Amino acid sequence: METLQTQTRPGLSGTALKLATCITMLIDHIGASCIEATYGVAYRTPPQILQLDRVLRLIGRLAFPIFCFLLVEGFVHTRDVKKYVRRLFLFALISEVPFDLAFFRTPFDPSAQNVYWTLALGVLAMAGLKHFEKPDGSASWKGLLCAAGCTLAALLACTDYNGIGVFIICALYLTRGDRKRQCIVGALLFLFELTAPLAFVLVWFYNGQRGACSPLQKKAFYWFYPVHLSMLAAVTNLLL
């Protein structure tokens, strides 16, 4: 299957989508950490706080779908898949303690793992699909088996978005040659979250260009996840 050709029409660059993801993710995590992890049981939470949390989480639901799309784009264009996977696993390790402290107020909670694990397994799944693809570019049973294994691993490890996250990443990868179909499939698969399908409106306007992004900015996007979680963990555990 041919990948979608780089477009020249005006639209959102990859850097713009990354910024949108970071902003919506931060909004989401403020609700999940500073409100939900602090107030805990819903019936003890003031109605105004519950309403604020709902608004924050609805906005935040846009983040992960864009993450998945950008991961597919990153995989398709990377020159070194092994380095890409190693980087994701490294940041998964770095982010785990801040993740647990921010959302569960403990340094280690085996019931949930951060989203970098999901993304790393998603890349491994795509690598399997690509390695075993048929001559016409379609998925083979071996590739699908590799993807299924990564999906099962995410489910058993309780990563953020668990197996459905890896499954959606694979679906976006397999439909990458047709932006319209990719957006429709992505939106349908995210129907279990009220506002998440709206993320594919932004994806539709992706212009196929990386956009201005210095090496420092590229590193900043990777570090944003563990750094903002560390800050939220400090607020949740020390101030609230």
Side-chain angles (χ1 to χ4, degrees):
M1 181 186 295
E2 293 295 326
T3 58
L4 191 67
Q5 295 298 311
T6 299
Q7 302 172 33
T8 57
R9 63 180 177 85
L12 298 171
S13 67
T15 298
L17 287 178
K18 288 178 182 178
L19 286 171
T21 304
C22 289
I23 292 170
T24 53
M25 178 174 60
L26 176 60
I27 292 171
D28 181 61
H29 288 172
I30 289 173
S33 179
C34 297
I35 297 179
E36 294 179 13
T38 300
Y39 283 90
V41 183
Y43 67 80
R44 296 180 181 175
T45 308
Q48 299 88 342
I49 298 296
L50 282 175
Q51 187 62 29
L52 174 61
D53 178 55
R54 178 172 174 78
V55 171
L56 294 175
R57 300 308 301 276
L58 286 174
I59 295 172
R61 297 300 86 189
L62 299 176
F64 187 68
I66 304 175
F67 256 133
C68 293
F69 172 75
L70 290 174
L71 189 79
V72 173
E73 286 292 297
F75 174 79
V76 170
H77 294 103
T78 187
R79 298 177 181 177
D80 190 336
V81 173
K82 292 181 179 178
K83 184 178 179 181
Y84 194 22
V85 172
R86 286 197 300 268
R87 187 185 303 121
L88 290 169
F89 275 121
L90 173 62
F91 277 91
L93 288 170
I94 293 171
S95 303
E96 192 58 34
V97 171
F99 175 82
D100 289 334
L101 284 171
F103 300 127
F104 306 105
R105 308 189 78 163
T106 178
F108 178 68
D109 188 320
S111 68
Q113 325 308 326
N114 72 78
V115 76
Y116 264 123
W117 297 107
T118 309
L119 300 179
L121 288 169
V123 171
L124 287 177
M126 290 189 288
L129 289 169
K130 181 178 180 180
H131 182 75
F132 292 110
E133 69 180 10
K134 296 178 181 179
D136 63 358
S138 61
S140 69
W141 69 267
K142 290 182 179 179
L144 292 173
L145 188 61
C146 287
C150 293
T151 301
L152 180 60
L155 181 63
L156 294 176
C158 300
T159 66
D160 201 6
Y161 279 92
N162 57 69
I164 187 65
V166 177
F167 177 80
I168 291 174
I169 290 168
C170 292
L172 294 179
Y173 174 73
L174 292 174
T175 56
R176 67 194 183 279
D178 185 333
R179 180 67 54 74
K180 182 178 180 180
R181 183 172 61 161
Q182 188 183 42
C183 288
I184 292 173
V185 168
L188 290 174
L189 290 175
F190 272 105
L191 282 176
F192 64 93
E193 291 185 326
L194 184 62
T195 53
L198 296 176
F200 289 94
V201 175
L202 297 178
V203 169
W204 173 254
F205 286 104
Y206 173 58
N207 61 14
Q209 298 174 7
R210 184 176 186 178
C213 187
S214 67
L216 182 60
Q217 287 176 308
K218 183 178 179 181
K219 292 180 180 178
F221 283 126
Y222 275 97
W223 279 102
F224 180 81
Y225 187 73
V227 170
H228 93 275
L229 286 180
S230 298
M231 295 174 65
L232 291 175
V235 171
T236 301
N237 290 272
L238 301 178
L239 300 179
L240 297 180

